[in-house]
Amino acid sequence: PTCANCGGLDWWEWHHIKAFAEYPELELKENNGIPLCEAPSHNCHFVKGHLMSWTCINPNVVEDAAYYLNQVKNRRSIRAKE
């Protein structure tokens, strides 16, 4: 899979949508996970999945990641005029 936030192919980690600490029965449920990368340059797992604190939970991680991925896929480059 690719990172659901940036589309990256490497360094991804399976992030629990509903935290394992609160919902241990959902730990291995396929619909309770989203692939988020841990790339050294931007770490989507930490930034989007945990809102920059490993003790936090992002209840909107699926929507937030989808929104950002759409932004990445539709970005435009600004090139200097020659």
Side-chain angles (χ1 to χ4, degrees), residues 2-39:
T2 61
C3 176
N5 188 66
C6 72
L9 299 171
D10 298 321
W11 303 83
W12 68 270
E13 183 72 34
W14 195 248
H15 173 75
H16 290 106
I17 297 166
K18 293 192 178 204
F20 170 71
E22 294 180 348
Y23 302 92
E25 70 277 9
L26 299 178
E27 178 184 17
L28 302 176
K29 298 291 183 185
E30 204 170 302
N31 62 349
N32 186 41
I34 183 173
L36 294 173
C37 76
E38 292 187 343

Side-chain angles (χ1 to χ4, degrees), residues 63-80:
E63 296 85 0
D64 290 352
Y67 175 81
Y68 188 77
L69 183 60
N70 184 56
Q71 296 292 93
V72 169
K73 287 182 175 181
N74 294 302
R75 64 186 168 203
R76 296 182 315 162
S77 295
I78 300 173
R79 297 187 182 260

